[in-house]
Amino acid sequence: MPIALITGPANAGKARVVIDAVERHVARGQEPLLVVPTRADAERYRRELVGRGIVLGARVERFDGLIDEVVRRSRTGAGTGRPVLGELARARVLAGIVERATPDGLPASGGMLRAAEAFVAELQVRRVTPRRLSEALGEWAPTHRRAPRTGPRRREWGEGGVGALFEEYHRVLARIGRVDREQRATRALDALRGAPGLWGQTPVLFYGFDDLTRLQLDAIETLGTVVDASVTVSLTYEPGRIAFAGRAATFQALEPLAAEHTRLAARADYYAPSARAALSHLERSLFEPDAERVGAGDAVRLLEGGGERAELELVAGEVRALLDGGTRAEEIAVVLRAPGPAAELIGEIFGAAGVPYALQRRKPFADTGIGRALIGLLRCVPGSDNGARRAEENGTQGSGEADSTAGEAPGLVGDLLAWLRAPGLLERPELADHLEARALRRGASSAAQARALWEERNWPLETIDHLRAAAERGAGTLIDRAERELQWLFDAPRRGQAPLLGSGELDEARALAVGRRALGELRELVRASESRLVPRDAAELARVLARLELVSGELASAETVAVLDPLALRARRVKALFLCGLQEGVFPAPARAQPLLGDEERRALAEASGLRLDRSGDALAAERYLLYAVVSRPEELLVLSWHTAGDDGAPVAPSLFVDDVCDLFDEDLRERRSRRPLGAVDRPASERIGEKSVDRLEPLRDEQLLAALREQVWSASSLEVWRSCPSRWFVERMLRAEDLGPDPEPVARGGLAHAALKDTLEGLERESGSARLTRGRLQLARRLLKEALARHEPDFPLSVAPERRPGLRRRLQADLERYLEHAATHESRLEPRHLELGFGFAREDERGEGSTLPALDIGGGVMLRGRIDRVDVTATDGEEEAVVYDYKGRAAPPVAKWIEEGSFQIALYMRAVEHLLGLRAVGGFYQPLTGADLRARGVLDEDSGVELECVGSDRRERGDMQAVLEEAVAIARTAAAEAGRGELEARPQTCAFRGGCMYPTICRCER
C-alpha cells in the first residue's frame, strides 16, 4: 500500500485529515496505529478518538511504542530477542572504553560521554559496522593530517580513535550478550524487510512531527515501501517559505517515497474572529520579505521585564487575569525555549499569583528525598581495600572517578544528615537537627566525625557497616544491598499504611523506579562478568547514582496551564499563548558543532571513503521554524515577553525574533508593550487577587499561655529583651528556635572567660587563703588562669575552624591577664566571696549547675532568677556590704544610661543580694574584660565606706542610688505585667542596639 504524504502550513487542518483516516481504517475493521511526538499528545488524541466513538480498534503511541510493536512482531528476526543495554549500562561501557584509552587515565567527562553516546547511536542507526568505519577512516587518514580539535587530553579521539572506540563498544556488547536501543530498532526493521509478512496489514499514521529523525524515516520507508503497509505521514511544510527552510530536507526525503501527496492550503478560520486578521497575517508573513504591516489589535501583545523575575511576574499577572476572565486553564500555554532552568522561579511566581500550572522537566535523582538519602548513605561508607585490590587484579582503574582513600569515608556531615533526614527514617526527626548543631559547634566536617557524635548519644548506625561489609563481598552484593536500602527509604514513611501517593510524592515514586532500573542494569553487568564496568565501592556507586535523572512534574490537565518547550506544543492548539524568554543567545539557540568529527571532517571523510555521516544543519533555519510553529498555535492571543537585564543588573539583549514579529505590525505594537522594572515590588492588582493581607503581630490571647507567663520565673535578661521589644522577646524567648550553627565566637569567648575567671579566683583562695587580686598574687593568678583556660577550652570551642583556635585562645588569655593586672594594680579590700552565684533555679541550668537560693520576689507577683558573676563582700561598722559585678566584653553602660537603655540587670542583682544574702548592696558594676578602658561602670554608694576605682559620675548619694534601683525594679515589674497580659507589639526604635527591627519578616516592620 502507498505512503500517503499530507503537507500544509500549521493552520491547514492536517489533524482532521489524519483523524478522519483513522476512522476510515477502523470502519474497515483494521486496527490503525496513530504515532504522535509526546506523551501529552498521546493522551490528548486518545481522548479525541474516544470522543468520536472510537474506544477499541485504534491505538495511539509515541514512536518508541511503534518500535516496540515492530520488535514484538519481528521476534524471529536475528538478534531482536537479545536483552537491551540500558542507558546507564551504555554510559558505563563507554566510560570504561574512554578511560582505558586515555593515556593519563583520567575519568571521562559528562560532555565526552554524551558525545560518544550520540556518535555511537548515529553509527548504529546508519548500520555502519566497525569494519566499515575503520576502512573509511583508513582511506581518509592519508589526506587528513590536521591536529584533532578536542585538545591534548583527547588526541586519541582523532581519525583512528573513534574507530577504536566503536570497535571496542561492539566487542563489549558481543561479550555481554546485549544490543543497544538503536541496534534493537534497526535489526527489527531489517527483519521486517526480510519477512514483510511479519507486520501484517496494520495501518500506521504519523501526526505532529515537524521533523523526523533518520530512524523515523527508516521506519516509514520500511513499513510503507517494503512491508507495503498503509502509512500516512503528516508534515508541516509549505514550499518556498523561509520559515520552512529548516524542514526542507525532511520533506525532500519523504516526497520520493510518497505515492500520494495531499497539499492543504492555509485556513484563517482556525483563528477567533477578533484575532483572525492579525494572527493569520503573522502565520502567512513571518520571515517573508516585503511583508506589509497590519494592526495587531488585542491579538498580539508584548511584555518587557527589567529582569527574569519581573518578566515572569508580568506573565503570571496576565495569565491570572485571563483565568479570572473565564478562560479555562487548559486553553492557555506558556512556552520557553528551555523551561527547566527557570522551573523553581516559575513555581514561586505562579504560585504567588495563584496560577495552577503543569511543568515537566528533568530532575536530578539526588534532588529527591530518597535519592539524596541513598547517595548520602553510600558516601558515608568507609572505603574498602578489596575494591582497590580488585581494580589492580583487573588491570584498570575502572570507569568512575578516582578512588577514595581506603578505609575512610569520603562523605561529609551533610551526607550523613541527608540520610538521617529521609522521611520516616527517624521517629524523632529533631535528632538530626541536634546532630547538625553539635557537628557545627564541634567543627566536625566528615561523615565519620558526625557518626561518632551521633553514636555518643544515640544508637549505632549499623546500616553503614552493613553496606561496607556488602562492598567487601563484591559489587553484586553491594548493589543488592543498595537496592534494599532504596526500597526501605521509600517505604519508611508509608510503613503499615496503604496510602495513595499525593502529587508531592510522585517524584519519590519516580526516583524509586529510576534507581531500581539503574541498579538493575549494573547488576546485569556484574552477571555478564564485566566487573570493571561496575562501581567498585560505595563512594563510586554514589557518584554513578548522582548522575541519574528523572522526569519530574505532571502532564497538563484541564485544570492547569501548560508550561512547556516549543517542541512539546507541536500537535495542539490553545486560545492564549505566552512565548517567554525571547533573549539573544536563548531563542534562537546558538549552533552547536559536532563534538566528534566536525562538519569539515565529516565532509572530507565522505569525499575520501563514501561514508556519509550526519552534518550539522542550518541552526538558524531550524530555530526559525520553531518560532513559526509556536506563534501559529494560539487562536485568540499571542504574547511575547523578554527581559532587559540579568539578576545582577547587567544588560541583556532581546531576541531578534521580536523584531521579526514586530516588523509585521504597526509601530504602536512596540509602543504599547507592558513594562515592569527590575526589582519592582508594586505588583499589579491581578497578581494580588486571592492573597490575604498580613497584619502585624497581634496580642497573645491563649489563656493557658498567659497563665504560664504570669507564673513563670523571669530572668533579668529576658525582662530586658521584653522592655526593648516584645516581638523580639516572642521570637527569641518564646519560640526559641535552636540555632543550628555554632555559638558565635564572642559567645564562646565569653563562656570560656567566665569559667576561667571563676576557677582562677577560687584557686587563689584555695592556695593563698584569699581570692583578692593583689600585686603579690598576680603571678599565681596568671598561672591559675592559664590552667583554667586549658581545662575549660574543650567545653567552649572558640571557633569551628581549628586553625583559628590557637590565636583566639592567646588573644583571650592576653585580655584576661591584662584585666588581672588592672585589678591587682587597683587593689580593693573587698573579698570575692560568691562566684557564679545562682538563685531561683529549681533544677540544674544549661551549665549543669543548680542553686540553693530561692527566686527573688520583686513585687507584683513577679519572681526572678539569675546567675551573678561575682559578689565582693567587706565588713563596715559590723555590717557586711557587697558590690555586684557582671562581666562584659566591651559595652559597660554607666548608671546614667541604665533606665534609658533598659539595662537593669545589675540593679535587680543588687536587690537579690540584699534580699537573699542579707547583705547591703552598695554598688553594682558592669566589668569590661577587653578594650582600651577596663574601668568598671555602674553605681557606687558614695556614703558607704567602700573605696573602689570608679568613674566620678558613677558615684551617687545613697538616696539617688536607691531611686535608680527602685525605678529599675518598677520597669522590670511593668515588663512582666505586660507579658502576663499578652501585650505583644513591635518596638523597632529600641529592638536592635542601634535601632531598627531585628525580625522584619515576622513583625512586618522596616529596619
Side-chain angles (χ1 to χ4, degrees):
M1 298 181 69
I3 294 177
L5 177 61
I6 304 171
T7 62
N11 57 355
K14 297 184 296 298
R16 181 175 300 176
V17 174
V18 172
I19 295 299
D20 289 345
V22 171
E23 285 188 318
R24 289 195 298 271
H25 286 304
V26 172
R28 297 190 192 106
Q30 299 171 325
E31 297 182 350
L33 185 61
L34 176 61
V35 183
V36 292
T38 69
R39 183 179 291 105
D41 296 331
E43 293 294 331
R44 179 172 180 268
Y45 282 98
R46 287 187 188 111
R47 291 195 300 269
E48 181 164 340
L49 290 176
V50 170
R52 291 195 176 202
I54 303 175
V55 179
L56 299 175
R59 290 169 51 192
V60 183
E61 296 284 354
R62 292 180 297 161
F63 182 71
D64 287 346
L66 171 64
I67 291 299
D68 290 341
E69 186 65 20
V70 171
V71 171
R72 186 182 68 81
R73 298 191 186 190
S74 61
R75 283 291 182 187
T76 57
T80 58
R82 297 173 67 182
V84 179
L85 191 70
E87 292 184 15
L88 176 62
R90 175 153 78 174
R92 298 299 296 174
V93 169
L94 289 172
I97 296 170
V98 171
E99 289 168 23
R100 287 194 298 275
T102 305
D104 50 19
L106 293 177
S109 66
M112 182 61 192
L113 287 179
R114 287 190 293 272
E117 289 176 14
F119 185 67
V120 166
E122 177 187 357
L123 294 174
Q124 299 286 52
V125 170
R126 283 185 169 274
R127 297 171 175 82
V128 177
T129 64
R131 181 177 178 179
R132 174 71 180 99
L133 179 62
S134 297
E135 291 175 351
L137 291 171
E139 294 174 13
W140 170 48
T143 63
H144 182 77
R145 293 301 184 186
R146 290 184 301 168
R149 300 180 304 153
T150 49
R153 274 195 57 197
R154 302 300 181 193
R155 294 186 65 87
E156 67 281 0
W157 302 118
E159 301 95 37
V162 291
L165 165 70
F166 193 49
E167 183 176 358
E168 179 61 18
Y169 176 73
H170 267 258
R171 188 177 296 117
V172 172
L173 291 189
R175 188 164 60 243
I176 64 178
R178 299 289 188 275
V179 294
D180 59 24
R181 289 172 299 170
E182 291 76 22
Q183 278 183 318
R184 170 178 177 263
T186 54
R187 291 183 180 183
L189 290 172
D190 289 345
L192 287 186
R193 287 174 180 268
L198 294 175
W199 178 256
Q201 296 299 314
T202 302
V204 181
L205 304 96
F206 287 79
Y207 175 73
F209 293 90
D210 294 323
D211 199 12
L212 295 167
T213 67
R214 182 165 298 277
L215 184 60
Q216 289 166 346
L217 289 171
D218 189 345
I220 291 171
E221 182 178 4
T222 299
L223 294 172
T225 64
V226 179
V227 175
D228 200 30
S230 174
V231 177
T232 302
V233 182
S234 166
L235 183 68
T236 303
Y237 182 75
E238 195 172 9
R241 291 279 304 274
I242 296 176
F244 295 96
R247 298 297 183 260
T250 300
F251 172 76
Q252 295 299 331
L254 282 173
E255 188 179 34
L257 303 177
E260 177 184 345
H261 183 184
T262 303
R263 297 174 177 84
L264 302 178
R267 296 175 55 180
D269 57 353
Y270 273 86
Y271 302 107
S274 60
R276 186 168 298 161
L279 294 181
S280 178
H281 175 68
L282 173 61
E283 188 276 326
R284 290 284 81 203
S285 304
L286 184 63
F287 301 124
E288 294 302 305
D290 303 324
E292 64 177 2
R293 291 177 179 265
V294 301
D298 294 328
V300 181
R301 295 183 54 198
L302 306 178
L303 304 178
E304 179 183 281
E308 185 179 14
R309 172 179 287 274
E311 176 194 348
L312 291 175
E313 285 174 342
L314 276 173
V315 172
E318 297 294 335
V319 173
R320 181 69 258 177
L322 288 175
L323 294 173
D324 294 336
T327 304
R328 298 197 307 273
E330 65 178 335
E331 296 175 327
I332 304 172
V334 177
V335 178
L336 292 92
R337 187 64 179 86
E344 292 186 6
L345 187 59
I346 291 171
E348 177 184 343
I349 293 172
F350 279 33
V355 175
Y357 74 98
L359 167 60
Q360 285 198 322
R361 64 187 179 97
R362 299 203 63 84
K363 178 179 181 179
F365 177 72
D367 284 357
T368 64
I370 62 173
R372 181 167 50 249
L374 179 62
I375 291 170
L377 173 61
L378 291 170
R379 287 174 176 166
C380 293
V381 178
S384 170
D385 291 336
N386 285 349
R389 178 175 55 79
R390 286 196 304 272
E392 292 175 1
E393 291 174 354
N394 290 332
T396 177
Q397 292 187 0
S399 55
E401 300 175 14
D403 285 341
S404 59
T405 302
E408 295 181 3
L412 302 175
V413 172
D415 295 318
L416 183 65
L417 290 171
W419 173 51
L420 292 176
R421 284 184 170 138
L425 185 69
L426 298 178
E427 292 183 5
R428 295 174 55 203
E430 66 272 15
L431 291 178
D433 297 335
H434 297 327
L435 172 62
E436 182 176 7
R438 292 185 66 213
L440 289 171
R441 289 166 184 161
R442 295 282 188 89
S445 59
S446 70
Q449 292 170 327
R451 179 184 179 183
L453 290 176
W454 170 273
E455 293 180 347
E456 284 179 5
R457 297 185 178 181
N458 303 292
W459 58 91
L461 299 177
E462 296 177 345
T463 301
I464 298 174
D465 298 326
H466 295 159
L467 277 166
R468 180 177 185 177
E472 291 174 347
R473 288 195 293 270
T477 307
L478 172 62
I479 291 168
D480 290 342
R481 182 75 195 194
E483 186 171 6
R484 287 176 53 193
E485 293 299 332
L486 179 65
Q487 185 68 55
W488 198 95
L489 287 167
F490 179 80
D491 294 342
R494 305 167 184 87
R495 201 170 305 279
Q497 309 174 36
L500 292 175
L501 296 181
S503 59
E505 298 177 290
L506 293 179
D507 276 358
E508 298 299 295
R510 297 182 182 114
L512 175 65
V514 167
R516 293 185 62 177
R517 182 165 59 249
L519 292 170
E521 291 179 22
L522 294 176
R523 186 183 297 108
E524 289 300 314
L525 291 178
V526 174
R527 292 173 179 170
S529 301
E530 289 295 322
S531 58
R532 60 182 177 178
L533 302 177
V534 180
R536 303 180 303 279
D537 55 28
E540 188 178 347
L541 180 58
R543 287 191 291 270
V544 170
L545 296 178
R547 295 175 179 170
L548 298 179
E549 290 184 332
L550 55 107
V551 177
S552 173
E554 301 300 311
L555 291 173
S557 66
E559 292 77 30
T560 58
V561 173
V563 180
L564 60 169
D565 64 83
L567 290 174
L569 196 67
R570 292 175 292 183
R572 59 173 294 196
R573 289 186 171 275
V574 291
K575 280 189 175 181
L577 185 141
F578 294 79
L579 178 54
C580 310
L582 284 169
Q583 309 300 138
E584 191 64 28
V586 177
F587 197 9
R592 294 181 179 180
Q594 293 283 0
L596 289 180
L597 297 183
D599 286 343
E600 287 301 314
E601 286 85 355
R602 290 169 182 245
R603 180 189 59 78
L605 177 65
E607 292 176 351
S609 67
L611 177 60
R612 298 181 59 185
L613 300 180
D614 293 337
R615 296 168 63 185
S616 301
D618 187 338
L620 179 58
E623 293 293 296
R624 282 173 173 165
Y625 177 81
L626 281 184
L627 178 69
Y628 167 84
V630 172
V631 300
S632 61
R633 298 303 173 187
E635 299 172 349
E636 293 184 3
L637 174 65
L638 171 66
V639 181
L640 308 182
S641 73
W642 66 91
H643 52 271
T644 58
D647 291 337
D648 58 354
V652 294
S655 169
L656 293 178
F657 280 169
V658 176
D659 296 331
D660 288 324
V661 174
C662 290
D663 287 345
L664 302 176
F665 299 100
D666 295 339
E667 291 292 341
D668 67 335
L669 172 63
R670 191 181 293 273
E671 295 171 357
R672 290 186 292 109
R673 69 184 182 275
S674 299
R675 297 179 178 177
R676 181 170 174 79
L678 180 68
V681 295
D682 53 334
R683 293 179 295 164
S686 59
E687 289 187 45
R688 299 194 298 268
I689 294 176
E691 291 188 357
K692 297 180 180 179
S693 60
V694 181
D695 298 327
R696 297 186 179 185
L697 289 176
E698 297 182 354
L700 302 175
R701 296 189 177 92
D702 186 84
E703 286 300 326
Q704 187 176 357
L705 174 60
L706 294 176
L709 290 175
R710 289 190 290 267
E711 296 174 1
Q712 84 165 19
V713 180
W714 291 86
S715 68
S717 62
S718 186
L719 290 173
E720 285 182 343
V721 173
W722 180 280
R723 167 74 189 285
S724 69
C725 180
S727 293
R728 176 186 166 195
W729 173 89
F730 177 75
V731 174
E732 295 180 357
R733 302 303 174 102
M734 175 61 71
L735 298 181
R736 290 184 297 182
E738 183 179 354
D739 190 353
L740 291 180
D743 290 335
E745 291 182 0
V747 174
R749 172 190 166 99
L752 181 55
H754 279 68
L757 287 176
K758 177 177 182 290
D759 281 11
T760 299
L761 296 179
E762 288 178 344
L764 275 179
E765 183 178 18
R766 185 171 58 253
E767 297 195 21
S768 67
S770 172
R772 284 190 300 119
L773 285 165
T774 65
R775 291 182 179 87
R777 299 191 184 102
L778 186 57
Q779 268 317 107
L780 174 60
R782 286 173 174 165
R783 177 176 63 82
L784 293 171
L785 174 67
K786 184 177 181 180
E787 295 172 354
L789 286 171
R791 184 164 54 252
H792 288 286
E793 187 179 6
D795 299 324
F796 300 94
L798 294 176
S799 175
V800 295
E803 63 274 11
R804 284 181 52 82
R805 293 174 190 167
L808 294 174
R809 183 178 63 250
R810 288 193 296 270
R811 184 180 302 173
L812 176 59
Q813 182 175 341
D815 285 341
L816 294 182
E817 286 181 349
R818 181 165 163 263
Y819 164 67
L820 294 178
E821 183 176 355
H822 172 84
T825 303
H826 301 83
E827 293 186 21
S828 168
R829 60 191 180 88
L830 295 172
E831 180 73 25
R833 182 177 297 174
H834 302 285
L835 304 174
E836 300 294 327
L837 176 67
F839 63 94
F841 292 103
R843 301 175 182 174
E844 290 186 348
D845 67 356
E846 66 278 1
R847 305 182 192 182
E849 301 174 355
S851 63
T852 58
L853 296 176
L856 172 66
D857 187 348
I858 62 174
V862 181
M863 306 300 293
L864 191 72
R865 62 176 174 86
R867 190 169 297 281
I868 306 172
D869 292 341
R870 198 175 93 211
V871 180
D872 290 3
V873 178
T874 187
T876 303
D877 298 330
E879 182 181 4
E880 288 189 319
E881 295 177 328
V883 176
V884 177
Y885 287 93
D886 187 73
Y887 299 133
K888 293 292 184 184
R890 294 177 183 268
V895 66
K897 294 187 176 181
W898 282 7
I899 304 305
E900 176 188 347
E901 296 182 357
S903 300
F904 44 77
Q905 184 175 21
I906 282 292
L908 297 179
Y909 284 175
M910 291 171 68
R911 282 288 184 255
V913 166
E914 291 179 339
H915 288 80
L916 301 178
L917 295 179
L919 304 175
R920 184 158 66 93
V922 298
F925 293 93
Y926 293 102
Q927 174 62 62
L929 298 178
T930 188
D933 190 356
L934 292 180
R935 291 178 299 174
R937 299 304 305 272
V939 66
L940 179 67
D941 181 0
E942 65 179 9
D943 298 329
S944 68
V946 174
E947 291 295 332
L948 289 173
E949 179 208 16
C950 185
V951 177
S953 60
D954 289 345
R955 294 180 183 274
R956 298 292 181 94
E957 294 181 356
R958 180 168 299 174
D960 291 343
M961 185 187 76
Q962 293 298 330
V964 171
L965 299 185
E966 287 300 331
E967 186 174 2
V969 172
I971 293 173
R973 284 198 298 266
T974 300
E978 291 174 353
R981 296 190 295 269
E983 296 177 358
L984 202 61
E985 64 172 338
R987 297 174 184 170
Q989 299 84 359
T990 56
C991 180
F993 176 68
R994 298 184 183 276
C997 181
M998 294 184 66
Y999 304 101
T1001 57
I1002 296 177
C1003 302
R1004 305 302 183 208
C1005 291
E1006 296 295 331
R1007 285 191 179 276

